[in-house]
Amino acid sequence: GSWNSVLGTTLVLNGKSPSLIHDPGGIVYSHRSPDGEWLPGGASSAGAGAFQRIFAAGTDLDVLSHQAERHRGRPAPVYPLASASGERFPFIAPDATLSLPQASAIDPVDAYRSVSFGLGAVERLCFDYLGAAGFPIQGSVSLAGGGARSGFLNGLRATMLNRELIVPEIAEPAIGMALLVSTIERSLSDASRDMIRIAQRIDPDTSRRAEPDDYYATFVADLQAKGWLSSTLAHQARRRMNA
């Protein structure tokens, strides 16, 4: 039930399950854990690479991230694809594309916030899909990848998911390979306990839940209207919103 969410050029989720669960949609794959359990996962075509597709080379995204924390204004619904087209998780849509209304004219902080909210919404939809497919999602969620360096993004993701997020001291994916190598002589659980240190725990901002929730409702409706999102997953997302 524990998951690691890696936000780099694309978004990749990997979790832990005591048994093999077959995804009827064929979207979630599973690897065998060194401990004999299973590691389900999904790889999206959306991710922080969308920033590079929208902003010119040399744009200081760290500055925009800090400005976004103080900025207000309704973010536009954006599906933040890092690739030219096509999505594979949390849904399959070969014709999915990135679109930002009047991208060349929009205020850069507004654009940054819109992509950031889109990333948080994709991550939330991933968990909605996983829950609907029967995967355990009740455990902790840790963050990794370059996206975990943004305080604004981390806070937004925690509030969008309405759950505590954990940022380890080493948030780069290479730590996973180091862990696997160390399991030659010990269990993965022991290796994790010895090697992983928590740098930060991020709680959702309950005073600002309305904005991410409203965005997510619009986001789901927009995807369904475009024909990318099935009515089944849209229903699951709305059911969890109202739970």
Side-chain angles (χ1 to χ4, degrees):
S2 297
W3 290 81
N4 179 235
S5 183
V6 184
L7 179 57
T9 301
T10 58
L11 176 69
V12 180
L13 269 63
N14 289 286
K16 188 174 183 181
S17 172
S19 59
L20 176 62
I21 299 173
H22 293 283
D23 173 20
I27 295 175
V28 180
Y29 52 82
S30 289
H31 296 297
R32 197 67 182 261
S33 165
D35 287 350
E37 296 188 315
W38 291 88
L39 305 175
S44 177
S45 296
F51 289 122
Q52 277 68 46
R53 296 192 62 209
I54 287 177
F55 294 106
T59 300
D60 194 330
L61 297 179
D62 289 335
V63 170
L64 290 177
S65 179
H66 289 304
Q67 293 174 335
E69 292 185 21
R70 302 184 298 273
H71 197 72
R72 294 293 181 269
R74 188 177 181 85
V78 172
Y79 199 81
L81 276 183
S83 58
S85 64
E87 181 55 291
R88 53 190 172 167
F89 176 63
F91 55 86
I92 297 175
D95 59 336
T97 56
L98 180 149
S99 61
L100 186 64
Q102 299 178 343
S104 60
I106 195 170
D107 178 85
V109 181
D110 284 334
Y112 183 90
R113 290 184 78 246
S114 294
V115 174
S116 298
F117 270 76
L119 290 170
V122 170
E123 189 171 45
R124 180 168 170 173
L125 191 59
C126 287
F127 279 106
D128 283 346
Y129 181 88
L130 291 165
F135 292 91
I137 57 172
Q138 76 284 357
S140 62
V141 177
S142 60
L143 305 182
R149 294 195 294 265
S150 169
F152 169 72
L153 260 176
N154 290 347
L156 172 59
R157 292 163 71 185
T159 304
M160 182 73 76
L161 292 174
N162 193 31
R163 62 196 299 173
E164 179 192 69
L165 300 181
I166 298 169
V167 181
E169 285 185 359
I170 302 175
E172 298 305 318
I175 189 66
M177 183 57 69
L179 279 168
L180 288 176
V181 171
S182 74
T183 61
I184 294 173
E185 298 180 349
R186 57 180 171 174
S187 71
L188 182 59
S189 296
D190 288 343
S192 299
R193 188 163 48 249
D194 293 343
M195 296 175 65
I196 301 298
R197 298 289 181 270
I198 296 174
Q200 187 180 14
R201 294 181 182 272
I202 304 168
D203 292 318
D205 186 346
T206 55
S207 68
R208 301 184 66 177
R209 276 293 308 283
E211 187 177 32
D213 282 351
D214 288 346
Y215 182 93
Y216 189 61
T218 301
F219 180 83
V220 169
D222 184 61
L223 294 183
Q224 189 176 15
K226 289 176 177 176
W228 301 348
L229 196 63
S230 69
S231 58
T232 301
L233 183 52
H235 174 75
Q236 168 71 359
R238 295 188 181 101
R239 186 185 67 80
R240 285 173 58 86
M241 269 190 280
N242 298 324

